[in-house]
PDB file of all heavy atoms in Angstrom:
ATOM      1  N   TRP N  52     -20.864  15.263  -2.629  1.00  0.00           N
ATOM      2  CA  TRP N  52     -22.288  15.551  -2.810  1.00  0.00           C
ATOM      3  C   TRP N  52     -22.947  14.707  -3.901  1.00  0.00           C
ATOM      4  O   TRP N  52     -24.021  15.049  -4.392  1.00  0.00           O
ATOM      5  CB  TRP N  52     -22.553  17.047  -3.092  1.00  0.00           C
ATOM      6  CG  TRP N  52     -21.682  18.007  -2.340  1.00  0.00           C
ATOM      7  CD1 TRP N  52     -20.903  17.741  -1.248  1.00  0.00           C
ATOM      8  CD2 TRP N  52     -21.476  19.404  -2.619  1.00  0.00           C
ATOM      9  NE1 TRP N  52     -20.242  18.870  -0.813  1.00  0.00           N
ATOM     10  CE2 TRP N  52     -20.556  19.904  -1.647  1.00  0.00           C
ATOM     11  CE3 TRP N  52     -21.959  20.272  -3.576  1.00  0.00           C
ATOM     12  CZ2 TRP N  52     -20.136  21.229  -1.615  1.00  0.00           C
ATOM     13  CZ3 TRP N  52     -21.536  21.607  -3.540  1.00  0.00           C
ATOM     14  CH2 TRP N  52     -20.640  22.064  -2.577  1.00  0.00           C
ATOM     15  N   ASN N 110     -20.796  16.074 -16.919  1.00  0.00           N
ATOM     16  CA  ASN N 110     -20.502  16.493 -15.532  1.00  0.00           C
ATOM     17  C   ASN N 110     -21.261  17.771 -15.232  1.00  0.00           C
ATOM     18  O   ASN N 110     -21.967  18.301 -16.104  1.00  0.00           O
ATOM     19  CB  ASN N 110     -18.987  16.643 -15.301  1.00  0.00           C
ATOM     20  CG  ASN N 110     -18.374  17.734 -16.150  1.00  0.00           C
ATOM     21  OD1 ASN N 110     -18.632  18.907 -15.927  1.00  0.00           O
ATOM     22  ND2 ASN N 110     -17.579  17.351 -17.128  1.00  0.00           N
ATOM     23  N   GLY N 111     -21.100  18.282 -14.022  1.00  0.00           N
ATOM     24  CA  GLY N 111     -21.876  19.452 -13.626  1.00  0.00           C
ATOM     25  C   GLY N 111     -21.464  20.708 -14.381  1.00  0.00           C
ATOM     26  O   GLY N 111     -22.313  21.505 -14.811  1.00  0.00           O
ATOM     27  N   SER N 112     -20.152  20.896 -14.557  1.00  0.00           N
ATOM     28  CA  SER N 112     -19.693  22.095 -15.256  1.00  0.00           C
ATOM     29  C   SER N 112     -20.192  22.111 -16.697  1.00  0.00           C
ATOM     30  O   SER N 112     -20.612  23.164 -17.209  1.00  0.00           O
ATOM     31  CB  SER N 112     -18.160  22.165 -15.252  1.00  0.00           C
ATOM     32  OG  SER N 112     -17.668  22.118 -13.934  1.00  0.00           O
ATOM     33  N   VAL N 115     -23.724  23.075 -16.982  1.00  0.00           N
ATOM     34  CA  VAL N 115     -23.879  24.531 -16.876  1.00  0.00           C
ATOM     35  C   VAL N 115     -23.462  25.208 -18.188  1.00  0.00           C
ATOM     36  O   VAL N 115     -24.150  26.104 -18.692  1.00  0.00           O
ATOM     37  CB  VAL N 115     -23.049  25.074 -15.678  1.00  0.00           C
ATOM     38  CG1 VAL N 115     -22.941  26.586 -15.714  1.00  0.00           C
ATOM     39  CG2 VAL N 115     -23.682  24.623 -14.361  1.00  0.00           C
ATOM     40  N   TYR N 143     -21.143  29.468  -7.269  1.00  0.00           N
ATOM     41  CA  TYR N 143     -20.159  28.538  -7.841  1.00  0.00           C
ATOM     42  C   TYR N 143     -20.922  27.642  -8.813  1.00  0.00           C
ATOM     43  O   TYR N 143     -21.885  26.974  -8.431  1.00  0.00           O
ATOM     44  CB  TYR N 143     -19.492  27.674  -6.757  1.00  0.00           C
ATOM     45  CG  TYR N 143     -18.566  26.650  -7.360  1.00  0.00           C
ATOM     46  CD1 TYR N 143     -17.279  27.004  -7.771  1.00  0.00           C
ATOM     47  CD2 TYR N 143     -18.982  25.341  -7.562  1.00  0.00           C
ATOM     48  CE1 TYR N 143     -16.436  26.063  -8.367  1.00  0.00           C
ATOM     49  CE2 TYR N 143     -18.145  24.397  -8.147  1.00  0.00           C
ATOM     50  CZ  TYR N 143     -16.881  24.764  -8.548  1.00  0.00           C
ATOM     51  OH  TYR N 143     -16.060  23.837  -9.140  1.00  0.00           O
ATOM     52  N   HIS N 144     -20.481  27.652 -10.084  1.00  0.00           N
ATOM     53  CA  HIS N 144     -21.185  26.852 -11.090  1.00  0.00           C
ATOM     54  C   HIS N 144     -20.268  25.866 -11.800  1.00  0.00           C
ATOM     55  O   HIS N 144     -20.693  25.240 -12.777  1.00  0.00           O
ATOM     56  CB  HIS N 144     -21.861  27.768 -12.120  1.00  0.00           C
ATOM     57  CG  HIS N 144     -22.965  28.611 -11.541  1.00  0.00           C
ATOM     58  ND1 HIS N 144     -24.182  28.088 -11.186  1.00  0.00           N
ATOM     59  CD2 HIS N 144     -23.022  29.932 -11.258  1.00  0.00           C
ATOM     60  CE1 HIS N 144     -24.957  29.059 -10.703  1.00  0.00           C
ATOM     61  NE2 HIS N 144     -24.282  30.176 -10.726  1.00  0.00           N
ATOM     62  N   GLY N 145     -19.018  25.747 -11.356  1.00  0.00           N
ATOM     63  CA  GLY N 145     -18.129  24.775 -11.979  1.00  0.00           C
ATOM     64  C   GLY N 145     -16.815  25.392 -12.398  1.00  0.00           C
ATOM     65  O   GLY N 145     -16.571  26.594 -12.196  1.00  0.00           O
ATOM     66  N   GLU N 203     -28.095  29.196  -8.181  1.00  0.00           N
ATOM     67  CA  GLU N 203     -28.208  27.930  -7.454  1.00  0.00           C
ATOM     68  C   GLU N 203     -29.458  28.084  -6.587  1.00  0.00           C
ATOM     69  O   GLU N 203     -29.433  28.859  -5.623  1.00  0.00           O
ATOM     70  CB  GLU N 203     -26.985  27.733  -6.555  1.00  0.00           C
ATOM     71  CG  GLU N 203     -25.681  27.487  -7.301  1.00  0.00           C
ATOM     72  CD  GLU N 203     -24.476  27.840  -6.439  1.00  0.00           C
ATOM     73  OE1 GLU N 203     -24.040  29.011  -6.471  1.00  0.00           O
ATOM     74  OE2 GLU N 203     -23.970  26.970  -5.725  1.00  0.00           O
ATOM     75  N   ASP N 237     -29.334  26.147 -11.645  1.00  0.00           N
ATOM     76  CA  ASP N 237     -28.240  25.179 -11.547  1.00  0.00           C
ATOM     77  C   ASP N 237     -28.564  24.259 -10.364  1.00  0.00           C
ATOM     78  O   ASP N 237     -28.305  24.600  -9.209  1.00  0.00           O
ATOM     79  CB  ASP N 237     -26.914  25.922 -11.336  1.00  0.00           C
ATOM     80  CG  ASP N 237     -25.752  24.956 -11.123  1.00  0.00           C
ATOM     81  OD1 ASP N 237     -25.990  23.728 -11.028  1.00  0.00           O
ATOM     82  OD2 ASP N 237     -24.601  25.432 -11.037  1.00  0.00           O
ATOM     83  N   VAL N 239     -27.300  21.264 -10.050  1.00  0.00           N
ATOM     84  CA  VAL N 239     -26.258  20.223 -10.037  1.00  0.00           C
ATOM     85  C   VAL N 239     -26.099  19.669  -8.619  1.00  0.00           C
ATOM     86  O   VAL N 239     -26.004  18.452  -8.422  1.00  0.00           O
ATOM     87  CB  VAL N 239     -24.922  20.803 -10.571  1.00  0.00           C
ATOM     88  CG1 VAL N 239     -23.748  19.886 -10.254  1.00  0.00           C
ATOM     89  CG2 VAL N 239     -25.023  21.048 -12.073  1.00  0.00           C
ATOM     90  N   PHE N 240     -26.105  20.561  -7.644  1.00  0.00           N
ATOM     91  CA  PHE N 240     -25.989  20.127  -6.251  1.00  0.00           C
ATOM     92  C   PHE N 240     -27.362  19.895  -5.607  1.00  0.00           C
ATOM     93  O   PHE N 240     -27.597  18.893  -4.930  1.00  0.00           O
ATOM     94  CB  PHE N 240     -25.182  21.176  -5.471  1.00  0.00           C
ATOM     95  CG  PHE N 240     -25.323  21.078  -3.980  1.00  0.00           C
ATOM     96  CD1 PHE N 240     -25.105  19.877  -3.316  1.00  0.00           C
ATOM     97  CD2 PHE N 240     -25.681  22.194  -3.231  1.00  0.00           C
ATOM     98  CE1 PHE N 240     -25.248  19.783  -1.931  1.00  0.00           C
ATOM     99  CE2 PHE N 240     -25.820  22.106  -1.847  1.00  0.00           C
ATOM    100  CZ  PHE N 240     -25.615  20.901  -1.205  1.00  0.00           C
ATOM    101  N   SER N 265     -26.523  17.104 -12.429  1.00  0.00           N
ATOM    102  CA  SER N 265     -25.404  16.139 -12.508  1.00  0.00           C
ATOM    103  C   SER N 265     -25.315  15.457 -11.142  1.00  0.00           C
ATOM    104  O   SER N 265     -26.356  15.087 -10.601  1.00  0.00           O
ATOM    105  CB  SER N 265     -24.097  16.853 -12.894  1.00  0.00           C
ATOM    106  OG  SER N 265     -23.071  15.917 -13.079  1.00  0.00           O
ATOM    107  N   LYS N 266     -24.127  15.324 -10.590  1.00  0.00           N
ATOM    108  CA  LYS N 266     -23.901  14.756  -9.245  1.00  0.00           C
ATOM    109  C   LYS N 266     -24.816  13.574  -8.922  1.00  0.00           C
ATOM    110  O   LYS N 266     -24.523  12.454  -9.306  1.00  0.00           O
ATOM    111  CB  LYS N 266     -24.034  15.852  -8.186  1.00  0.00           C
ATOM    112  CG  LYS N 266     -22.870  16.853  -8.249  1.00  0.00           C
ATOM    113  CD  LYS N 266     -22.774  17.685  -6.999  1.00  0.00           C
ATOM    114  CE  LYS N 266     -21.724  18.772  -7.083  1.00  0.00           C
ATOM    115  NZ  LYS N 266     -20.383  18.361  -6.783  1.00  0.00           N
TER     116      LYS N 266
HETATM  117  N1  PMP T   1     -22.834  23.644 -10.101  1.00  0.00           N
HETATM  118  C1  PMP T   1     -22.929  23.504  -8.771  1.00  0.00           C
HETATM  119  C2  PMP T   1     -24.044  24.168  -8.036  1.00  0.00           C
HETATM  120  C3  PMP T   1     -21.986  22.730  -8.083  1.00  0.00           C
HETATM  121  O1  PMP T   1     -22.083  22.623  -6.754  1.00  0.00           O
HETATM  122  C4  PMP T   1     -20.951  22.096  -8.819  1.00  0.00           C
HETATM  123  C5  PMP T   1     -19.903  21.217  -8.149  1.00  0.00           C
HETATM  124  N2  PMP T   1     -19.730  21.304  -6.825  1.00  0.00           N
HETATM  125  C6  PMP T   1     -20.914  22.274 -10.199  1.00  0.00           C
HETATM  126  C7  PMP T   1     -21.864  23.042 -10.812  1.00  0.00           C
HETATM  127  C8  PMP T   1     -19.832  21.621 -11.022  1.00  0.00           C
HETATM  128  O2  PMP T   1     -20.008  20.269 -11.099  1.00  0.00           O
HETATM  129  P1  PMP T   1     -18.780  19.302 -11.506  1.00  0.00           P
HETATM  130  O3  PMP T   1     -17.862  19.310 -10.331  1.00  0.00           O
HETATM  131  O4  PMP T   1     -19.411  17.986 -11.753  1.00  0.00           O
HETATM  132  O5  PMP T   1     -18.168  19.887 -12.728  1.00  0.00           O
END
Side-chain angles (χ1 to χ4, degrees):
W52 323 345
N110 64 69
S112 304
V115 168
Y143 176 80
H144 294 287
E203 291 158 271
D237 176 354
V239 166
F240 163 52
S265 185
K266 290 196 186 277

